[in-house]
Amino acid sequence: MCFNSEIALRQHFNLARFRATENNRYFVRCGSFGISGLISPTGKILESTACFDEVDLAVAVPIEQRALTVFTRWGDHLNWVSGILLIGSLVLTEFFHRRANNRETPLAADPT
């Protein structure tokens, strides 16, 4: 997929900032004609290039032991579990709602 607008290239680079914070890791992004750079685990941009620039960027990436985040441990499994629980609760709610409505209610006395 090729993007010719600077807005799309900046958006891709900013998404990499989220990945860095999600995983609590340094993130190196190399774009063929977009923005390349080094992002800290807090999302701070440490080094970057401009859009459409053909430059060499040499960065030192710190190697350090960092704590695992919930996303790093569970990844998308947490989303799946949340979705299944949501659907299950909706099904149970509908089941109990229908069950309560189907109970026979005493008929009013017929005046005739």
Side-chain angles (χ1 to χ4, degrees):
M1 186 177 283
C2 183
F3 297 101
N4 293 328
S5 74
E6 187 174 334
I7 295 170
L9 298 174
R10 289 193 182 283
Q11 183 178 17
H12 276 251
F13 189 72
N14 284 328
L15 288 173
R17 294 175 69 188
F18 282 106
R19 293 290 171 243
T21 56
E22 277 180 340
N23 294 296
N24 196 27
R25 300 282 186 270
Y26 285 91
F27 194 96
V28 178
R29 184 172 191 304
C30 302
S32 56
F33 60 90
I35 303 172
S36 299
L38 174 64
I39 303 166
S40 76
T42 60
K44 181 180 177 186
I45 300 169
L46 302 176
E47 297 282 339
S48 68
T49 63
C51 291
F52 307 109
D53 280 355
E54 292 184 22
V55 297
D56 293 330
L57 181 64
V59 296
V61 181
I63 308 284
E64 51 188 54
Q65 190 67 23
R66 302 189 64 87
L68 296 179
T69 63
V70 173
F71 183 79
T72 304
R73 284 185 194 269
W74 298 98
D76 288 333
H77 292 93
L78 189 60
N79 294 339
W80 282 102
V81 169
S82 298
I84 290 168
L85 289 174
L86 175 66
I87 291 170
S89 66
L90 292 173
V91 168
L92 285 175
T93 301
E94 182 65 22
F95 172 75
F96 285 118
H97 180 71
R98 285 186 182 192
R99 185 175 171 196
N101 287 340
N102 285 340
R103 288 191 180 149
E104 292 185 300
T105 55
L107 296 174
D110 192 11
T112 56

